[in-house]
Amino acid sequence: MLNFRLSTSFKQPLNGFKCTQKQGDLVAQTPHHFNMQPLVICLVALLISFCLFSCGLKKVRSVSSYTRTQQPALINPALPGDNPDPSIIRVGKVYYATSTTNEWAPYFTIYKSTDLKNWKLINHVFPDGYKDMKNQWGENNFWASELVYDQKQNRIYAYYTAHNRETKGNPGLQCGTAWIDADKIETGKFTDNGPVIIEDECGAIDAFELQQNGKIYAFWKNDGNGCGKESWIWKQEINDSRTKLLGQKSKVFTNSQPWETGLVEGACFFTLGEYVYSLYSVGGCCDAKCNYKTGIARTKDLNSGIWEKYSRNPVMVSNDKWNCPGHGTVVKTADDRLFMLYHAFNKNYDVFVGREGIIEELIVGADGWPVLHNATLPNRPKADLDFIDNFEKDQKLDLAWQWPSKSQRPAMVFNEGLKLSASNENHGLGTFLGQYIKTVNFSISAEVNPGDAKTGICLGGAIFKSKWPGELGGIGITVSKDSVVVFDNFEGNYTILKASAEHLTNPVQLKMQISHDGRQIEFFYKKQAAEWLSFYRTDFLADKYVPWGMGYRAGILVKGNPSQTGTFSSFNLTNN
């Protein structure tokens, strides 16, 4: 709003009258005694200026009704830990978000917030992994889930990418859809429709939906960069049940400018005024050599195929806080403000934590384009990132826990603690449950009951030179009724780094202290009524075992015969 006011506050008396303009306010400054004639002249001039200035403002604002109000106190990362390719929707006063889960199950997180600042993990699209998918079609590459709210149906749809286990190579990358009644999003299970968007040659990824003028459009990227072809964003109408594409597909845009490097992907779409806008990403997304950037384009007619790319692209690039920002979704609040949830690496954490979910507001500039300020600060308190699980009070597994995507959900029961079934899977590592790390200096600890199986804690990543990034390796410490063992199988073979014979019958506490920005690990154990004993310390080549596009996981494991179990009373993750 443009305010007009007379100022009666002075530092010193003035002999005359002066008109000033400051920060959009027209201010008339007066002395204690003045001649009225200059004032009348100035007031007339002010009114003329006011009218002209108002017309100018109206011309700028005619682009849309969206205007900026007071900036909210956002907290970032909004989704801490490994939450790439995030998507966000609003249903009434509630926001829901999802993210890529890569090679971990359950597949595709569902978060809830009422203020865009505080988020709670409430569900997953596929809580039991591939068993929840139609014909169990997905094998790996669980990428880029996108949520859509259909108000007429009161349903929430999820678009997602997975690799079809029946198809080899890049064509196996296909986009499926699943749905759930909106009022069951926290407690229910999505119904999977299976693959809907299929590209025969290079595969399809990064599906997105836009509802406009009574039609529903699906967008996606053909993964041309994965098979030596051009990468395009495509569009095609889809039916109401999101089970079948209609009509013919058409090209939207591709990388056509020098700054866009070798590909476009992760495109989201939203309407503002007379335009449909698309924020899209270019470059390499996912490792220490990434060069991801974000651009914006617009069109007045979706079916024209004519898109105008912003002359000031890219609108978001790496800065001194975040690396390789991009691939997100825009949501409109009830008061018509626009926010984008996207991913980026925290530069203080290198790539060890993974790509975290970042939120910031889009502001319409004087030229009518909504842009990002590209200066978001990591301001979430580290205490928010700590995790405590008292298994003795649990009746079911906390939603934060994950397991390798190609494995079945580990067998477990809760009976005065978590009893987790043992195995020798994962190259001898055993049965593993893990969760995101959220910093690079932290400790993990657990209280376990020694038994026949090796039961303990572990930092999990990818086997060195693994065939696929979900081929789990780890380094950790375990106890059994007759030994304490520190092990490492990141090279593909289970190797004992240090072992000590111990007769253990009572509960034992185990701890791993990760320090030096993730590059040193010290192992401790503690018997009842005793002090912590430093058992082993080693330098850790964190760069070597970072999976492509994923961060490390901290968790628990049980190594032994399938008939054996390991019992956990508690688990703590504390960030330093």
Side-chain angles (χ1 to χ4, degrees), residues 265-266 281-285 290-294 317-318 324-327 343:
E265 66 179 23
S281 299
V282 305
C285 64
C290 65
N291 61 347
Y292 227 36
K293 305 176 186 69
T294 297
V317 297
S318 298
C324 300
H327 198 149
H343 72 229

Side-chain angles (χ1 to χ4, degrees), residues 49-350:
S49 299
F50 177 83
C51 293
L52 292 173
F53 190 64
S54 297
C55 292
L57 281 180
K58 186 175 181 180
K59 183 177 181 181
V60 171
R61 290 181 180 177
S62 66
V63 174
S64 79
S65 61
Y66 172 77
T67 57
R68 183 178 185 178
T69 55
Q70 185 179 357
Q71 176 75 18
L74 296 175
I75 300 176
N76 278 299
L79 307 180
D82 189 19
N83 282 284
D85 312 329
S87 169
I88 183 172
I89 60 171
R90 178 173 63 87
V91 179
K93 297 181 179 179
V94 180
Y95 299 91
Y96 298 103
T98 184
S99 62
T100 281
T101 46
N102 277 308
E103 309 311 320
W104 294 95
Y107 306 152
F108 308 121
T109 56
I110 302 289
Y111 295 97
K112 175 184 177 182
S113 175
T114 56
D115 58 9
L116 295 177
K117 295 183 292 185
N118 301 290
W119 295 86
K120 180 181 179 182
L121 181 61
I122 58 167
N123 205 345
H124 291 85
V125 176
F126 301 126
D128 286 321
Y130 63 82
K131 286 192 171 183
D132 290 330
M133 303 179 76
K134 185 177 181 179
N135 300 322
Q136 301 183 6
W137 75 271
E139 181 179 32
N140 58 289
N141 300 140
F142 297 102
W143 299 341
S145 48
E146 289 285 348
L147 298 180
V148 178
Y149 178 53
D150 190 312
Q151 187 173 10
K152 292 181 180 179
Q153 300 177 18
N154 193 34
R155 282 183 177 179
I156 293 174
Y157 287 88
Y159 288 74
Y160 63 91
T161 302
H163 195 282
N164 196 320
R165 66 178 68 251
E166 302 297 330
T167 307
K168 293 183 179 180
N170 242 66
L173 288 172
Q174 299 170 3
C175 297
T177 64
W179 63 272
I180 193 170
D181 291 335
D183 54 2
K184 297 180 180 178
I185 187 69
E186 294 194 43
T187 57
K189 185 174 288 191
F190 280 73
T191 298
D192 188 32
N193 293 325
V196 177
I197 303 171
I198 300 172
E199 288 278 358
D200 293 335
E201 188 173 15
C202 293
I205 67 173
D206 298 351
F208 192 88
E209 178 182 300
L210 180 68
Q211 302 168 29
Q212 190 188 47
N213 299 327
K215 294 185 177 181
I216 307 169
Y217 296 97
F219 299 81
W220 69 92
K221 170 204 171 184
N222 73 296
D223 198 43
N225 55 289
C227 64
K229 305 290 184 179
E230 287 185 340
S231 294
W232 279 83
I233 304 300
W234 293 82
K235 171 182 70 71
Q236 192 168 350
E237 193 176 347
I238 194 169
N239 65 356
D240 288 346
S241 60
R242 280 71 168 181
T243 56
K244 183 179 180 181
L245 295 172
L246 306 175
Q248 298 296 315
K249 69 178 182 179
S250 60
K251 290 180 176 179
V252 181
F253 54 76
T254 187
N255 50 306
S256 58
Q257 299 176 347
W259 75 271
E260 292 173 331
T261 64
L263 60 90
V264 291
E265 66 179 23
C268 73
F269 298 81
F270 62 96
T271 57
L272 182 62
E274 59 185 332
Y275 288 100
V276 174
Y277 287 87
S278 175
L279 282 154
Y280 62 95
S281 299
V282 305
C285 64
C286 308
D287 57 25
K289 297 179 181 179
C290 65
N291 61 347
Y292 227 36
K293 305 176 186 69
T294 297
I296 190 169
R298 69 184 183 185
T299 184
K300 289 185 177 180
D301 182 0
L302 263 185
N303 295 314
S304 70
I306 300 173
W307 286 79
E308 174 192 4
K309 292 185 177 179
Y310 190 36
S311 62
R312 297 182 180 179
N313 275 339
V315 295
M316 188 163 57
V317 297
S318 298
N319 55 38
D320 62 338
K321 301 297 183 183
W322 304 100
N323 206 27
C324 300
H327 198 149
T329 302
V330 173
V331 68
K332 183 179 288 187
T333 63
D335 59 350
D336 287 337
R337 296 166 71 181
L338 297 175
F339 291 84
M340 185 181 186
L341 182 65
Y342 59 89
H343 72 229
F345 290 109
N346 186 320
K347 278 197 169 180
N348 289 335
Y349 302 156
D350 205 325

